């Protein structure tokens, strides 16, 4: 990990003018019915009850301990399961920042493949964020080795995750105004609900960008190593096509069943094996040949397109969605789009 952004809400809203301000903080802290934007304000007592006073045994598995806080599995009074992030050093963020609720957070919460925020709690000593509980954790825990509790994902589930993640990114890039660049597309930030429907989360590094701008430049490169696009790694230049690159790496890992597959195998080797129709050397052996050959070939082609060295050669995420749905064959793209030159590896 090169850098980790702070919590989704706290960091994205940094610099966004607050639309709703609390005029009587003492009153608000005691009133769980007060809402800021779409988010419910919980009382600390509600969340203490939900987590059995933040009992260590309620730390939420692979989601549980992060750089900026612990995540607890909780059960609200209405019976709904939630994930509650308890920040380590809440005062460092400032109350005003925590209260700021911008349009950005509000409208991205409407998409089924974006992890939504349910609510929050703020006191003089505590700052907590409440999310729906993702019963199947993150995609990362399925790529670092299966276990009795987390058996290998079957092929239809992998296809579902690929399509859902693509839809979430397409929404951020092409249906939000201004568009949103995630900048940390990785398996750790793809959350899986009880039906293995993926939700893209952890927007701590996300940046808004006007539609007229095709890229931006930062002095500090941020994100998860292995998923960072070459132009961003080398020059600090990023765009929505940087997210596309990270998505392409995830596709390869979904196919192969393990993380860091690119470091082990290499994109050029993947391309060669595809051309030689040696899919068994690419596909996760834990699938035991229970996959659809045509879908695997298409997914590999899409992954190769997404991880091309030049960002202008990568498809948009909406085009990736069409390819995954079979409405725009990936083969046509491969034929049109050059010889898939990939200089990063």
């Amino acid at each position: 990990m090169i850098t980790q952004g702070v919590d989704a809400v706290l960091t994205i809203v940094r610099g966004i003018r607050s639309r709703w301000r609390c005029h009587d903080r003492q009153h608000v802290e005691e009133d769980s019915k007060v809402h800021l934007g779409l988010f419910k304000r919980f009382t600390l007592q509600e969340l203490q009850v939900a987590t059995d006073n933040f009992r260590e045994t309620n730390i939420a598995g692979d989601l549980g301990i992060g750089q900026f806080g612990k995540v607890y599995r909780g059960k609200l009074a209405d019976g709904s399961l939630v994930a509650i992030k308890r920040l380590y050093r809440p005062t460092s963020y400032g109350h005003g920042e925590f209260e700021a609720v911008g349009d950005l957070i509000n409208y991205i919460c409407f998409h089924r493949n974006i992890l939504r925020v349910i609510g929050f709690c703020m006191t003089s000593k505590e700052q907590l964020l409440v999310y729906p509980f993702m019963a199947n954790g993150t995609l990362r825990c399925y790529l670092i080795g299966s276990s009795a509790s987390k058996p290998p994902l079957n092929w239809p589930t992998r296809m579902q995750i690929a399509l859902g993640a693509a839809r979430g990114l397409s929404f951020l890039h092409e249906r939000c105004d201004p568009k949103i660049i995630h900048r940390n597309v990785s398996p750790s930030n793809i959350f899986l609900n009880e039906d293995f429907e993926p939700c893209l989360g952890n927007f701590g590094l996300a940046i808004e960008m006007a539609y007229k701008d095709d890229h931006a430049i930062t002095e500090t490169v941020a994100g998860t190593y292995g998923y960072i696009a070459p132009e961003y790694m080398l020059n600090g230049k990023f765009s929505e096509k940087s997210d596309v690159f990270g998505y392409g790496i995830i596709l390869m890992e979904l196919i192969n069943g393990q993380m860091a597959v690119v470091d082990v195998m290499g994109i050029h080797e993947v391309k060669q094996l595809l051309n030689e129709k040696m899919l068994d050397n690419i596909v996760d052996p834990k699938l035991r040949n229970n996959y659809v050959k045509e879908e695997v070939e298409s997914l590999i082609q899409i992954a190769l397109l997404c991880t091309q060295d030049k960002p202008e050669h990568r498809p948009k995420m909406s085009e990736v969605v069409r390819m995954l749905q079979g409405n725009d064959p990936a083969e046509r793209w491969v034929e049109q789009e050059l010889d898939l030159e990939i200089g990063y590896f």
Side-chain angles (χ1 to χ4, degrees):
M1 189 80 70
I2 291 183
T3 61
Q4 271 288 358
V6 295
D7 184 87
V9 174
L10 297 178
T11 302
I12 295 182
V13 300
R14 190 185 303 271
I16 300 176
R17 179 174 298 175
S18 175
R19 303 295 179 99
W20 298 271
R21 289 294 184 184
C22 159
H23 298 293
D24 183 351
R25 182 167 293 148
Q26 180 65 33
H27 174 70
V28 170
E29 285 184 358
E30 295 176 356
D31 188 352
S32 64
K33 295 182 180 179
V34 172
H35 290 64
L36 297 181
L38 297 179
F39 305 121
K40 176 180 178 180
R41 180 184 289 273
F42 291 91
T43 65
L44 180 59
Q45 183 180 14
E46 284 181 289
L47 301 187
Q48 287 174 327
V49 170
T51 59
D52 196 10
N53 201 25
F54 301 108
R55 186 184 291 271
E56 292 293 298
T57 54
N58 283 328
I59 290 178
D62 67 308
L63 305 176
I65 301 179
Q67 185 176 358
F68 298 97
K70 292 183 179 180
V71 180
Y72 295 83
R73 184 178 185 271
K75 188 174 185 179
L76 299 178
D78 64 3
S80 57
L81 294 178
V82 292
I84 300 169
K85 175 173 278 190
R86 188 185 193 187
L87 300 177
Y88 293 135
R89 296 188 300 258
T91 55
S92 65
Y93 300 110
H95 285 308
E97 218 172 86
F98 191 77
E99 288 177 0
V101 182
D103 291 336
L104 172 61
I105 302 296
N106 279 327
Y107 64 63
I108 68 173
C109 286
F110 288 128
H111 196 277
R112 65 183 293 180
N113 297 117
I114 302 294
L115 184 64
R116 64 190 178 91
V117 179
I118 295 174
F120 65 97
C121 171
M122 182 183 67
T123 73
S124 59
K125 295 183 179 180
E126 295 275 5
Q127 288 185 350
L128 304 102
L129 293 156
V130 183
Y131 301 91
F133 185 75
M134 295 285 108
N136 286 302
T138 68
L139 177 59
R140 179 181 182 276
C141 65
Y142 286 90
L143 296 175
I144 60 176
S146 58
S147 63
S149 61
K150 295 191 181 298
L153 299 170
N154 62 32
W155 182 250
T157 299
R158 298 182 199 215
M159 286 294 294
Q160 174 178 295
I161 293 169
L163 180 57
R167 284 172 170 162
L169 284 169
S170 176
F171 175 79
L172 296 177
H173 294 173
E174 301 176 49
R175 294 179 59 193
C176 292
D177 188 11
K179 59 188 173 183
I180 301 169
I181 314 302
H182 188 281
R183 290 206 305 159
N184 197 9
V185 178
S186 71
S188 295
N189 295 329
I190 295 178
F191 298 84
L192 306 173
N193 68 13
E194 64 275 9
D195 299 317
F196 288 94
E197 183 72 28
C199 293
L200 190 63
N202 284 346
F203 285 82
L205 299 178
I207 288 182
E208 296 175 312
M209 187 182 294
Y211 272 100
K212 64 181 178 63
D213 297 331
D214 59 6
H215 73 274
I217 296 176
T218 61
E219 293 182 2
T220 303
V221 175
T224 302
Y225 184 78
Y227 305 87
I228 301 174
E231 70 279 3
Y232 187 30
M233 177 73 81
L234 298 175
N235 306 312
K237 181 179 177 180
F238 69 90
S239 67
E240 60 265 37
K241 295 300 183 72
S242 306
D243 283 353
V244 174
F245 182 92
Y247 174 82
I249 300 298
I250 290 174
L251 279 192
M252 284 305 311
E253 293 176 338
L254 277 171
I255 296 164
N256 190 263
Q258 61 181 341
M259 296 182 68
V261 61
V262 173
D263 293 334
V264 174
M265 187 175 293
I267 293 291
H268 288 295
E269 184 179 350
V270 172
K271 179 186 174 187
Q272 182 177 349
L273 290 170
L274 175 65
N275 290 338
E276 295 174 358
K277 303 294 184 182
M278 298 177 66
L279 297 184
D280 288 346
N281 289 5
I282 302 175
V283 179
D284 186 355
K286 294 188 292 293
L287 285 170
R288 301 180 184 276
N289 295 318
N290 291 320
Y291 58 84
V292 181
K293 178 181 177 183
E294 293 76 18
E295 290 180 348
V296 168
E297 290 180 344
S298 178
L299 230 61
I300 295 172
Q301 290 169 340
I302 295 170
L304 291 172
L305 289 166
C306 290
T307 52
Q308 293 178 92
D309 185 46
K310 296 179 181 179
E312 61 269 25
H313 289 163
R314 300 171 203 150
K316 296 179 179 179
M317 288 308 305
S318 59
E319 293 165 336
V320 170
V321 170
R322 290 200 295 271
M323 285 187 252
L324 289 169
Q325 292 174 326
N327 299 326
D328 193 3
E331 283 185 6
R332 181 181 70 80
W333 278 79
V334 173
E335 292 169 359
Q336 280 184 1
E337 279 295 322
L338 31 91
D339 60 349
L340 294 170
E341 53 177 304
I342 303 165
Y344 187 44
F345 301 99

